[in-house]
């Protein structure tokens, strides 16, 4: 009996030990491994624990180190596609294929889902493709580097495609179609995030001013709860002193005076907004989501007279996004009256636009307003003593290094074929030094992933905001684009120019095919040896020819060409709004060029035309040009391309004799 107990105990210990060996979620069913000579498989376990990894005909053995980590190296350089099973001790990971796998990172334009692009319906008609795969890392942040992450591999079919990164999909599809190999995209992206969020502390260390800024942001995050409570106490006292406090909640009476309303609510008091919503059975099947954006005032929401959600003062004055969930069954399918009650202690609040209830979306039309009680406009001492709101609440995920710690570090040292990157909007207002920071990130990621030549391809910022009337009203984005291009000094980098793919009033343009396929073109040329064009015309020399300027270009690929100039520009494609395009250099072949004289004044070119592999530019108002610009505005109108279909990147260059 004792012997049997001892044997059972030994078996139990072995089972527990085997179960203790783990791998990150990136090694899960459906994974894509890179077809490379050194492909790490790694994880954690009990120190001293034996680990056996089997893949195809390879068997690798190791032991868990004293730090609780283990790693083996597979040679997949000559491996067939598969699928294979990856076995790690008793853990069996199925449907693993070998091909190319790219890390896709950045902010919202990389996170932008494929179901939002214009081509999505046609893409869904394509047959399922098990050789196109996507792994979305669940958004997470951490103050210190961690090893865990969440996500799952999915193959491309109409049930999964909508969740793919759009830019990542177009990149992967072009590689797959050209090379006829499997391509996986590991999507680590988060909207609204700055470059510094994706940098490790080591890569930030050489930039003391950036580190100091990060510490200031962190201090603001840590002190925000205390500062918010202090503001709320002061605001309550102020509201009480001037008779601007809330009153007991009563639904509007039957004879309430409702008037049409749109836009912001001006004047404090107790205000009600009313509208109608129609919900389907699908809308009410699960928990219903109510999303109002930022609310700026305490609110209560009623459906058919029943309160379904509320937002208190703390939520309102945090300036955070308002989203709540209603339990299943709380609202039925059909048409309902919705009421939103606001207590506005100050003088103004913003009407929620857009408003989502489940999958139902209400725009800014159809609203009515009823003022239950009005407060006098703030003036004099009342205005002077009114507590100042704190503004935007600091977001923990937007602190330096936190996204690297939680969404990049857990992947180290996974073998990637390369990286694609779409980010920069979050740094446009403070563009100075971005190029150095970006280069530091690239070099650091290369070091972390053990490949000093890890290919790194990125999208330059597209066009955004209204076109400038005058060339000296250029905005910040041209300078951020310039900073982005500085990373091209590093080997195995490439930039997709997408100034032809923007929208005036949408920072998230629907055209994700341009950045995806243009980054893929660079990869096909640099990594896979395809002799194909991948860059737009690049200005290499600027010379004065009397009062004319001659700009010589490389990467002309079949010659320079002037693309057709559209009659209208997209304001926002999601609501199909356009505006008339007003040319800055009417009558010329090329738009987008401007000249500057020694007096520092900029003028649009009178003439800009193609001459072989050069462009000739002149302006009667600039007798002796000293500088020339092309597409140097937030929303450039330039139409210079090469015949391979790639646009010329923006530039500002001195004029030489």
């Amino acid at each position: 009996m004792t012997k049997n107990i001892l044997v059972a105990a030994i078996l139990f210990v072995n089972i527990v030990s085997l179960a203790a060996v783990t791998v990150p979620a990136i090694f899960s069913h459906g994974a894509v491994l890179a077809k490379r000579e050194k492909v790490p498989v790694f994880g954690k376990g009990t120190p001293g624990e034996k680990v056996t990894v089997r893949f195809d005909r390879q068997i690798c053995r190791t032991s868990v180190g004293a730090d609780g980590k283990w790693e083996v190296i597979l040679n997949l350089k000559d491996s067939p596609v598969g699928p294979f099973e990856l076995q790690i001790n008793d853990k069996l990971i199925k449907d693993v294929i070998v091909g190319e796998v790219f890390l896709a990172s950045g902010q919202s334009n990389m996170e932008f889902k494929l179901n939002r692009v214009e081509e999505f319906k046609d893409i869904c008609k394509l047959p399922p493709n098990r050789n196109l795969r996507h792994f979305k890392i669940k958004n997470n942040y951490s103050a210190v580097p961690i090893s865990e992450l969440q996500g799952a591999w999915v193959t491309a079919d109409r049930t999964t495609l909508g969740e793919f990164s759009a830019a990542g999909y177009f990149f992967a599809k072009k590689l797959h179609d050209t090379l006829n190999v499997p391509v996986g995209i590991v999507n680590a992206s988060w909207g609204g995030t700055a470059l510094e969020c994706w940098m490790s502390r080591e890569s930030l260390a050489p930039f003391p001013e950036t580190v100091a800024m990060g510490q200031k942001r962190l201090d603001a995050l840590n002190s925000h709860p205390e500062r918010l409570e202090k503001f709320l106490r002061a605001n309550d006292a102020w509201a009480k002193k001037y008779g601007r406090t809330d009153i007991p909640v009563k639904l509007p009476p039957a004879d309430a005076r409702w008037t049409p309303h749109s836009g912001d609510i001006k004047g404090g008091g107790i205000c009600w907004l009313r509208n109608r919503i129609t919900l389907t059975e699908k809308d009410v099947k699960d928990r219903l989501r109510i999303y109002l954006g930022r609310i700026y005032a305490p609110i209560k929401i009623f459906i058919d007279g029943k309160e379904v959600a509320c937002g208190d003062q703390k939520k309102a004055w945090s300036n955070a996004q308002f989203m709540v969930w209603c339990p299943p069954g709380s609202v039925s399918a059909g048409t309902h009256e919705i009421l939103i009650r606001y207590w506005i202690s100050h003088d103004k609040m913003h009407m929620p636009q857009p408003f989502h209830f489940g999958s139902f979306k209400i725009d800014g039309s159809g609203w009515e307003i009823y003022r239950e009680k009005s407060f006098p406009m703030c003036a004099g001492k009342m205005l002077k003593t009114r507590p100042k709101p704190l503004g935007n609440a600091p977001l923990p995920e937007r602190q330096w290094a936190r996204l690297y710690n939680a969404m990049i570090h857990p992947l180290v040292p996974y073998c990637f074929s390369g990286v694609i990157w779409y980010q920069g909007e979050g740094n446009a207002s403070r563009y100075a030094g971005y190029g150095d920071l970006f280069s530091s990130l690239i070099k650091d990621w290369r070091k972390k992933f053990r490949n000093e030549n890890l290919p790194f391809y990125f999208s330059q910022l597209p066009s955004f905001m209204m076109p400038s009337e005058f060339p000296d009203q250029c905005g910040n984005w041209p300078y951020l684009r310039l900073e982005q291009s500085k990373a091209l000094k590093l080997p195995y980098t490439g930039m997709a120019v997408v100034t032809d793919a923007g929208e005036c009033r949408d920072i998230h343009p629907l055209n994700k095919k341009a950045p995806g396929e243009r980054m893929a073109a660079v990869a096909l040329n640099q990594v896979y040896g395809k002799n194909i064009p991948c860059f737009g015309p690049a200005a290499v020399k600027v010379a004065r020819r009397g009062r004319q300027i001659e700009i010589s270009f490389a990467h002309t690929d079949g010659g320079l060409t002037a693309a057709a100039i559209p009659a209208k520009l997209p304001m926002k494609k999601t609501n199909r709004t356009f505006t008339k395009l007003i040319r800055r250099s009417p009558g010329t072949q090329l738009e987008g060029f401007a000249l500057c004289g020694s007096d520092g004044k900029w003028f649009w070119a009178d003439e800009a035309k193609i001459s072989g592999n050069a462009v000739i530019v002149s302006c009667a108002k600039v007798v002796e040009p000293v500088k020339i610009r092309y597409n140097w505005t937030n929303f450039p109108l330039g139409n210079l391309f090469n015949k391979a279909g790639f646009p010329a990147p923006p530039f500002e260059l001195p004029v030489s004799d």
Side-chain angles (χ1 to χ4, degrees), residues 407-582:
M407 297 177 69
I408 301 300
H409 187 266
L411 297 170
V412 174
Y414 200 79
C415 182
F416 287 106
S417 307
V419 178
I420 57 174
W421 176 265
Y422 197 152
Q423 192 277 335
E425 300 90 341
N427 290 77
S429 63
R430 46 184 186 85
Y431 55 81
Y434 181 95
D436 292 334
L437 289 166
F438 189 26
S439 297
S440 182
L441 178 145
I442 294 171
K443 289 185 282 189
D444 182 62
W445 284 21
R446 286 175 169 176
K447 181 178 179 181
K448 296 292 197 307
F449 289 107
R450 303 175 185 171
N451 183 352
E452 63 181 9
N453 292 321
L454 180 70
F456 204 109
Y457 305 119
F458 55 95
S459 176
Q460 199 177 46
L461 287 185
S463 300
F464 179 54
M465 294 174 272
M466 297 303 295
S468 303
E469 182 177 358
F470 303 104
D472 56 346
Q473 298 173 341
C474 53
N476 291 330
W477 282 41
Y479 297 98
L480 194 283
R481 294 186 189 112
L482 174 64
E483 290 290 323
Q484 288 177 302
S485 68
K486 291 179 179 179
L488 296 174
K489 296 176 182 178
L490 298 176
Y492 297 98
T493 57
M495 181 176 72
V497 177
V498 289
T499 45
D500 58 328
E503 299 174 30
C504 300
R505 294 299 187 199
D506 200 336
I507 201 169
H508 305 119
L510 297 189
N511 186 346
K512 293 295 183 286
K513 190 172 185 178
E517 291 194 346
R518 289 172 187 173
M519 286 188 286
V522 187
L524 288 167
N525 183 291
Q526 286 189 353
V527 179
Y528 305 102
K530 299 297 180 180
N531 186 23
I532 60 171
C534 59
F535 297 117
V540 292
K541 184 179 180 182
V542 179
R544 185 180 290 108
R545 300 287 184 261
R547 294 186 61 170
Q548 294 182 327
I549 301 301
E550 182 180 271
I551 311 149
S552 302
F553 287 87
H555 302 302
T556 54
D557 291 302
L560 299 177
T561 185
I565 297 174
K568 295 182 179 181
L569 291 175
M571 292 286 283
K572 193 168 186 176
K573 288 185 178 180
T574 53
N575 59 15
R576 298 179 177 84
T577 55
F578 293 81
T579 186
K580 182 180 179 181
L581 187 152
I582 300 175

Side-chain angles (χ1 to χ4, degrees), residues 23 38 69 182-183 221 255 448 527 540 546 569 624 635 651:
V23 290
K38 296 180 179 181
K69 299 178 181 179
V183 182
L221 173 68
D255 61 351
K448 296 292 197 307
V527 179
V540 292
L569 291 175
E624 293 187 7
F635 198 108
F651 62 81

Side-chain angles (χ1 to χ4, degrees), residues 7 124 150 182 198 356 501 541 565 577 609 615 628:
V7 171
C124 285
Q150 295 182 45
W198 298 99
H356 293 266
K541 184 179 180 182
I565 297 174
T577 55
K609 61 183 180 181
V615 170
I628 187 166

Side-chain angles (χ1 to χ4, degrees), residues 4 54 196 238 252 259 305 328 336 368 384 470 508 541 649:
N4 290 338
R54 293 179 171 86
E196 295 90 342
W238 174 84
T259 57
H336 304 274
E368 295 178 298
K384 290 181 180 179
F470 303 104
H508 305 119
K541 184 179 180 182

Side-chain angles (χ1 to χ4, degrees), residues 223-243:
S223 65
H224 184 77
E226 181 181 345
R227 291 185 292 119
L228 178 59
E229 290 294 341
K230 183 178 179 180
F231 165 79
L232 293 177
R233 290 193 298 270
N235 196 60
D236 282 345
W238 174 84
K240 184 176 181 180
K241 179 177 180 180
Y242 291 103

Side-chain angles (χ1 to χ4, degrees), residues 184-201:
I185 295 293
V186 178
N187 180 3
S189 55
W190 195 330
T193 55
L195 173 75
E196 295 90 342
C197 302
W198 298 99
M199 298 177 66
S200 70
R201 293 198 177 279

